[in-house]
C-alpha cells in the first residue's frame, strides 16, 4: 500500500493534457485533478452538452482552471483525425474513454464497437498525436485498461466477432488490446530512444455509468467505489515520478501482472500491424522493421 493520493500530484503548470471520455465516470475526476494541479486540460468527449457540462463542473470546483471541451468520437476515425488536427501541444494523453458490454454494434468505419472504440480509436488518436508527444520532454500515454482482459483471447481470424459475439468477452478483448498496445508502444519508443512513457491501469470496480445499465447493478452497486477513487490509478500513472514505462498499475497502485497473452511480443506486434492497416495511422517516428 502506498501513501500516494491526488494531493501528491506535482505542479503541472505548463503541461498540456487530454483525457478522453472526461465528461463522466473516472475520466471526469481525472481531468479535474490534473487541472487542479495546473495542467491545461482538454475534456475530449463525443457529446458536446455533456462535455461542456463537465468543463463547467470542473471550473466550479477549480475556479480559474485551464480546461476546455474538445469534440472526439472514438467510434469515428474522421472525428479522431479532426480532433487530433486541432491539438497544438501535448505532454499527457489519458486514453480513458470506453464502451462496455453492449450488444453487437459497429463503429462508423465498420469495426466491432468495443474493439473499434476502446482500442482502434485510441490507437489512431495516439499515433496522430505522436509527433506532439515526442516534442514534449517526459511525455506520457496512460491507457485505462482492466483486469477483465484476463478472460479474453484475440482471434485474428474473427476480429469483427461475427461468430459468437458475447458482450463480456468482447469487452475483455478490447481491454487486452489496450494492454498489448501499451507495452508495444513502450518497446517501440524505447528502441527509438524516444522520451515517451507508456503505461496502463486497472481502476478496479468503480460506480460509473458503466455499471448503471447492467442487470447486476443493484447487487454490484454495493461494492463499487466512487469515480474519484477510481481515478487514482490514472492520476498516479499520469503524474508519479516513480513510474516506469510498460508498467500496469492497479487500484491500490501496486504493479499488476498482466495475462500471458497481454505480455506476448508476438501478439502485440501482430495487433500493431493490423491496427495500422485498419486505421491507416502509422507511427513512423518509432517504426522498426
Ligand atoms: N467502472 C469500472 O469498474 C471500470 C473497471 C475497469 C476499467 N474501467 C475502464 O475505465 C474507463 C472509464 O470508464 P468509466 O467506468 O468511467 O465508465 P463511463 O462512466 O461509462 O465513462 C466512459 C466514458 O467514455 C466515453 N465514450 C464512450 N464511447 C465513446 C466514443 N465513441 N467517443 C468518445 N468517448 C466515448 C463516454 O461518453 P458518453 O458519456 O458520451 O457515453 C464516457 O465519457 C473505461 O476505459 C473502462 O473500460 C472501468
Amino acid at each position: 500500500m502506498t501513501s500516494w493520493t491526488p494531493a501528491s500530484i506535482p505542479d503541472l503548470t505548463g503541461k498540456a493534457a487530454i483525457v478522453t471520455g472526461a465528461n463522466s465516470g473516472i475520466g471526469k475526476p481525472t481531468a479535474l485533478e490534473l487541472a487542479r494541479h495546473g495542467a491545461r486540460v482538454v475534456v475530449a468527449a463525443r457529446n458536446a452538452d455533456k462535455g461542456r457540462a463537465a468543463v463547467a463542473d470542473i471550473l466550479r470546483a477549480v475556479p480559474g482552471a485551464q480546461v476546455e471541451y474538445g469534440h472526439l468520437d472514438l467510434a469515428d476515425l474522421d472525428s479522431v483525425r479532426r480532433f487530433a488536427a486541432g491539438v497544438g501541444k501535448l505532454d499527457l494523453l489519458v486514453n480513458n474513454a470506453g464502451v462496455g458490454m453492449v450488444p453487437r454494434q459497429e463503429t462508423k468505419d465498420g469495426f466491432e464497437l468495443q474493439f473499434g472504440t476502446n482500442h482502434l480509436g485510441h490507437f489512431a488518436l495516439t499515433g496522430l498525436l505522436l509527433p506532439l508527444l515526442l516534442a514534449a520532454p517526459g511525455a506520457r500515454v496512460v491507457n485505462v485498461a482492466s483486469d477483465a482482459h484476463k478472460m479474453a483471447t484475440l482471434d485474428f481470424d474473427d476480429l469483427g466477432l461475427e461468430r459468437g459475439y458475447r458482450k463480456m468477452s468482447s469487452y475483455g478483448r478490447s481491454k487486452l488490446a489496450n494492454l498489448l498496445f501499451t507495452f508495444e508502444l513502450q518497446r517501440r519508443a524505447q528502441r527509438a530512444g524516444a522520451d515517451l512513457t507508456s503505461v496502463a491501469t486497472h481502476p478496479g470496480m468503480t460506480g460509473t455509468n458503466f455499471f448503471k445499465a447492467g442487470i447486476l447493478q443493484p447487487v454490484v452497486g454495493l461494492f463499487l467505489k466512487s469515480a474519484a477513487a477510481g481515478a487514482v490509478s490514472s492520476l498516479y500513472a499520469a503524474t508519479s515520478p516513480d513510474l516506469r514505462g510498460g508498467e500496469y498499475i492497479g487500484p491500490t497502485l501496486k504493479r499488476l501482472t498482466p495475462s500471458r497473452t497481454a505480455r506476448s511480443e508476438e501478439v502485440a506486434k501482430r495487433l500493431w500491424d493490423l491496427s495500422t492497416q485498419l486505421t491507416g495511422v502509422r507511427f513512423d517516428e518509432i517504426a522498426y522493421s
Side-chain angles (χ1 to χ4, degrees), residues 144-214:
V144 180
S146 169
D147 257 7
H149 81 275
K150 289 189 171 155
M151 294 176 273
T153 54
L154 200 50
D155 178 359
F156 285 97
D157 295 327
D158 185 23
L159 264 192
L161 287 181
E162 276 154 41
R163 301 192 288 269
Y165 177 86
R166 285 201 187 82
K167 295 175 191 176
M168 186 62 202
S169 53
S170 165
Y171 174 67
R173 183 182 75 149
S174 73
K175 295 285 123 183
L176 172 61
N178 287 159
L179 284 167
L180 288 161
F181 170 54
T182 303
F183 304 142
E184 183 65 12
L185 178 60
Q186 180 61 36
R187 279 189 289 272
R188 286 178 185 243
Q190 223 160 318
R191 272 191 203 124
D195 184 11
L196 178 72
T197 299
S198 169
V199 286
T201 65
H202 166 53
M205 299 264 286
T206 308
T208 62
N209 288 339
F210 215 72
F211 282 102
K212 283 197 181 130

Side-chain angles (χ1 to χ4, degrees), residues 20-29 44-47 50 71-76 79-80 95-100 107 113 116-118 122 143-148 171 174-175 178 201-212 224-225 227 230 234:
T20 69
N23 59 283
S24 79
I26 293 167
K28 190 165 154 188
R46 61 178 162 174
N47 179 302
K50 289 191 199 172
H71 181 78
L72 171 69
D73 183 353
L74 289 156
D76 174 358
S79 169
V80 175
N95 288 325
N96 161 83
V99 58
T107 66
L113 188 73
T117 305
N118 302 355
H122 281 128
N143 293 308
V144 180
S146 169
D147 257 7
Y171 174 67
S174 73
K175 295 285 123 183
N178 287 159
T201 65
H202 166 53
M205 299 264 286
T206 308
T208 62
N209 288 339
F210 215 72
F211 282 102
K212 283 197 181 130
L224 300 178
K225 60 185 169 185
S234 298

